[in-house]
Amino acid sequence: GAVVSQHPSWVICKSGTSVKIECRSLDFQATTMFWYRQFPKQSLMLMATSNEGSKATYEQGVEKDKFLINHASLTLSTLTVTSAHPEDSSFYICSARDGGQGNTDTQYFGPGTRLTVL
Amino acid sequence: GENVEQHPSTLSVQEGDSAVIKCTYSDSASNYFPWYKQELGKGPQLIIDIRSNVGEKKDQRIAVTLNKTAKHFSLHITETQPEDSAVYFCAAVPRGTASKLTFGTGTRLQVTL
């Protein structure tokens, strides 16, 4: 159980285009999802917290108009990188928090999406 | 806010030996401490976690210990195998932060034959 999927697993796009990444919890309801960014050989950097049915909360320094987050259902959150530029190239990872009983602090991570902007 | 330090940054052990990774945290209100294993090109995988009301937890070859007074926690892997080679991250969740994880900087574990 506790499986999180991401789609696509990798994407290459031209500078100036927008890219949407999907994050799904497959076997549990995720009241909260998180979006992270990871550069090579570095730790995960939290970008935003996404709660179902409400606006996302962005971390300091993360442009909300650049990284649009939508959490329309208890199993799906999307991250759209708008007007992507080469510096947006990175590994984007989502996680989901199980809103059910038990340890609600536990986050389960997706497999990540490698974004390359040319 | 919470700050998590992790050591060592790299660790090389021979197959069959034990590996220990240590983390310290700054916020005494933190009450949940997960450990994640990340293989190259993949997302982090939860391998073990511990809550602040427990001092030690074990799952087969993996164990985690927590010292609340000293604000540090450690991951212990016994009888290491080549497939244990990966980057390991510790994390802490302060109470009342809606489960936001603060990660350590990671430890690259290499298990050699």
Side-chain angles (χ1 to χ4, degrees):
Chain A
V3 178
V4 177
S5 70
Q6 271 183 253
H7 179 81
S9 56
W10 60 270
V11 58
I12 300 173
C13 69
K14 292 182 178 180
S15 187
T17 61
S18 295
V19 174
K20 179 184 284 188
I21 303 170
E22 293 186 349
C23 177
R24 293 181 186 272
S25 56
L26 299 186
D27 51 3
F28 65 98
Q29 292 186 329
T31 53
T32 305
M33 289 183 170
F34 302 85
W35 287 95
Y36 295 84
R37 185 173 180 176
Q38 186 178 35
F39 292 105
K41 297 186 178 182
Q42 292 189 22
S43 190
L44 287 78
M45 182 192 78
L46 179 65
M47 299 175 66
T49 302
S50 168
N51 291 297
E52 185 265 337
S54 63
K55 289 184 178 180
T57 302
Y58 292 81
E59 295 299 301
Q60 190 173 7
V62 178
E63 300 175 60
K64 62 179 181 180
D65 295 328
K66 173 77 172 175
F67 300 99
L68 300 178
I69 293 172
N70 184 281
H71 192 158
S73 77
L74 285 171
T75 59
L76 172 65
S77 176
T78 61
L79 168 68
T80 300
V81 183
T82 62
S83 186
H85 288 93
E87 57 265 32
D88 298 323
S89 298
S90 189
F91 193 50
Y92 292 87
I93 314 171
C94 72
S95 70
R97 183 169 70 94
D98 191 340
Q101 296 181 353
N103 182 3
T104 57
D105 286 322
T106 302
Q107 289 186 32
Y108 300 97
F109 283 81
T113 296
R114 172 76 58 195
L115 170 63
T116 302
V117 184
L118 301 178
Chain B
E2 175 65 280
N3 181 51
V4 178
E5 294 188 357
Q6 183 171 347
H7 300 280
S9 56
T10 60
L11 179 60
S12 182
V13 299
Q14 282 195 322
E15 184 180 7
D17 288 350
S18 296
V20 180
I21 303 171
K22 299 181 179 181
C23 289
T24 60
Y25 61 98
S26 61
D27 191 340
S28 57
S30 290
N31 62 350
Y32 175 62
F33 308 90
W35 285 88
Y36 288 90
K37 175 184 180 182
Q38 187 178 27
E39 297 178 344
L40 190 62
K42 298 184 179 180
Q45 176 192 4
L46 179 69
I47 55 172
I48 197 167
D49 56 10
I50 192 167
R51 297 198 71 86
S52 59
N53 59 347
V54 176
E56 184 174 359
K57 184 177 179 180
K58 189 174 182 180
D59 182 4
Q60 298 182 339
R61 297 187 297 110
I62 295 173
V64 57
T65 58
L66 171 65
N67 184 324
K68 285 189 296 182
T69 303
K71 290 191 281 189
H72 66 69
F73 56 113
S74 301
L75 177 70
H76 305 252
I77 306 174
T78 58
E79 300 172 28
T80 54
Q81 302 167 1
E83 50 265 38
D84 294 329
S85 297
V87 179
Y88 291 81
F89 291 98
C90 63
V93 176
R95 189 180 296 116
T97 61
S99 304
K100 284 172 61 172
L101 291 168
T102 298
F103 281 94
T105 48
T107 296
R108 185 172 300 276
L109 174 64
Q110 179 86 34
V111 180
T112 58
L113 297 174

